[in-house]
Amino acid sequence: MDQMIGAITALNGWVWGAPMLVLILGTGLYLMLGLKFMPLRNIGAAFRMLFAGRHSDSEGDITPFQALMTSLSATIGTGNIAGVATAIAIGGPGALFWMWCTALVGMATKYAEAVCAVQFRERDANGDYCGGPMYYIKNGLSRRWHWLAIAFAVFGSIAGFGIGNGVQANSVAHAMESSFGVDPRVTGGLLLVAVAAVVLGGVRRIAEVAGVLVPLMATLYLAAGLVIILLSITELPGVIALVVDSAFTGTAATGGFAGASIWIAIQFGVARGIFSNEAGLGSAPIAHAAAKTNSPVKQGMVAMLGTFIDTLVVCSITGFVILLSGDWSTGLNGAALSVQAFSSALPGGEYVVTIGLVLFAFTTILGWNYYCERCLVYLFGVKVELPFRILWVLAIPVGAAANLQTIWLVADTLNAMMALPNLIALLLLSPVIFRLTREYFASAAATTR
């Protein structure tokens, strides 16, 4: 087992090395500059589109609001609780700064992904909308690039069992065991039944459940975090200064914290940032392709809010609570660190984290079920839908009882393999993205004259 973990760790260090980090951040920065900072200038307009998109008569399978909630259901998961804690525990406070940087440029990446997803989507044999990297590669690029679509679909269908299934089930099982003494096997069985009741109904049932649970769980978790921050508001400026300073100087060893260089802070900040908000991963556009919309740009603006909400809001709250508590330097890691930070600052805080983790992970399993299914449909057709859904729910108890460290390392590696073909496609399709954006805003300006 130790040799396997060592091998996976070595591979993980290679795929998340400097070239990958430059590609992720560089693609986001290039798209942001090419869009002339449109995502940052239009956050308010995007929120108005989101709330207006609760109902739509346009072609599609789910409303724009449900598309974002389905995307967020997969995005807001253990990465927002355990992932942030891991980034800080290994990379130091500076890792949070690099998570923010990843999110800021990631808004442009997520916008571009959704624009391409709607622009190049198609219908499957059942009449349902299909989209995402494999389809915008197939329909937007020449045949010599189509191997990238197959590569993405293969990696995406496998990666989901790590990031969207195993990691989530495992984190829930450990949280329930530590907080309530529930056997991981029992948690795995209960999760299996709950997930099966939803995913066997397809994307429309997933979207309906996500549309209710995502706003509820995010509101409750954020409320608890904000209470803790307000109770220590005078210490917040010092924490922010620590985050920024550590991002450029590294963090010295202290207490149970082993110390971290600038490079480690960047590496874990970006890797966990991508794990959390999935910008550049190519997963979210699969959900946005099913939206009832006739405007790729409008759906892109709704989509970019996923990165804003996930990292700049939810992850920041978790990070601030951990740093304000001082528990980040105790040697704790993952969900255990978040539980300790919340419980030390708020009576019953450990239950807030545990319940939040359970709900976050549950909805992530739902969203990633859809992502993996669409990848397999691209490869093999609609006949794989039911067998895959059964396999997906049967994998949950296995993930719940697996080794946590191995699950996280495999998930990180597969995430990188998914991101590569997607980021290459976005760079190649960037002229289309820029043109559609210019045309939309030019048309909008003309109608207001």
Side-chain angles (χ1 to χ4, degrees), residues 72-97:
L72 279 175
S73 73
T75 304
I76 300 181
T78 57
N80 298 83
I81 296 177
V84 176
T86 299
I88 293 174
I90 299 177
L96 185 59
F97 176 87

Side-chain angles (χ1 to χ4, degrees), residues 324-335:
L324 285 167
S325 71
D327 292 316
W328 65 273
S329 60
T330 60
L332 290 173
N333 200 341

Side-chain angles (χ1 to χ4, degrees), residues 71-336:
S71 170
L72 279 175
S73 73
T75 304
I76 300 181
T78 57
N80 298 83
I81 296 177
V84 176
T86 299
I88 293 174
I90 299 177
L96 185 59
F97 176 87
W98 295 110
M99 289 185 78
W100 292 338
C101 292
T102 303
L104 286 172
V105 298
M107 288 181 66
T109 307
K110 190 71 73 79
Y111 167 83
E113 289 175 332
V115 167
C116 291
V118 175
Q119 178 70 12
F120 296 108
R121 66 185 178 179
E122 59 183 59
R123 290 181 184 268
D124 64 20
N126 292 331
D128 296 325
Y129 275 96
C130 292
M134 52 280 195
Y135 290 95
Y136 52 73
I137 291 170
K138 171 191 168 187
N139 298 326
L141 298 176
S142 63
R143 294 185 66 86
R144 66 193 177 107
W145 295 106
H146 287 188
W147 64 273
L148 286 175
I150 296 173
F152 177 87
V154 169
F155 289 130
S157 59
I158 300 172
F161 283 91
I163 182 176
N165 192 314
V167 165
Q168 312 302 327
N170 194 277
S171 296
V172 170
H174 280 269
M176 292 296 289
E177 184 178 31
S178 62
S179 295
F180 302 108
V182 179
D183 190 302
R185 292 170 294 182
V186 174
T187 300
L190 293 174
L191 265 178
L192 182 153
V193 173
V195 170
V198 180
V199 302
L200 294 179
V203 65
R204 290 172 181 82
R205 188 180 299 172
I206 292 172
E208 289 170 1
V209 173
V212 174
L213 279 183
V214 171
L216 175 64
M217 69 183 186
T219 300
L220 292 176
Y221 183 76
L222 291 176
L226 285 172
V227 168
I228 294 173
I229 291 171
L230 288 173
L231 290 174
S232 306
I233 194 66
T234 56
E235 300 174 36
L236 186 59
V239 163
I240 295 174
L242 174 65
V243 169
V244 176
D245 181 65
S246 301
F248 297 99
T249 61
T251 310
T254 175
F257 180 70
S261 64
I262 299 173
W263 171 243
I264 292 296
I266 295 173
Q267 185 179 18
F268 276 87
V270 174
R272 287 291 176 260
I274 293 298
F275 186 94
S276 175
N277 62 52
E278 299 177 17
L281 208 60
S283 51
I286 299 174
H288 288 286
K292 293 181 178 179
T293 181
N294 295 321
S295 172
V297 171
K298 281 186 176 181
Q299 194 60 36
M301 291 175 68
V302 170
M304 72 188 192
L305 294 178
T307 302
F308 179 86
I309 294 169
D310 177 271
T311 305
L312 296 177
V313 178
V314 182
C315 286
S316 293
I317 293 292
T318 302
F320 285 149
V321 170
I322 289 172
L323 294 173
L324 285 167
S325 71
D327 292 316
W328 65 273
S329 60
T330 60
L332 290 173
N333 200 341

Side-chain angles (χ1 to χ4, degrees), residues 15 23 26-27 48 158 199 238 267 366-367 370 410 416:
V15 298
L23 180 61
T27 299
R48 290 193 292 274
I158 300 172
V199 302
Q267 185 179 18
L366 301 184
Y370 179 65
V410 170

Side-chain angles (χ1 to χ4, degrees), residues 12-26 263 266-267:
N12 205 37
W14 181 77
V15 298
W16 281 109
M20 173 59 77
L21 301 188
V22 169
L23 180 61
I24 290 172
L25 295 177
W263 171 243
I266 295 173
Q267 185 179 18

Side-chain angles (χ1 to χ4, degrees), residues 27-42 104-113 115 297 300-301 304 430-438 441:
T27 299
L29 183 59
Y30 167 73
L31 292 169
M32 184 67 81
L33 292 173
L35 292 166
K36 300 178 181 177
F37 297 93
M38 184 280 295
L40 300 181
R41 292 186 287 107
N42 286 275
L104 286 172
V105 298
M107 288 181 66
T109 307
K110 190 71 73 79
Y111 167 83
E113 289 175 332
V115 167
V297 171
M301 291 175 68
M304 72 188 192
S430 59
V432 177
I433 298 163
F434 300 153
R435 175 178 58 80
L436 290 171
T437 304
R438 287 194 305 270
F441 282 99

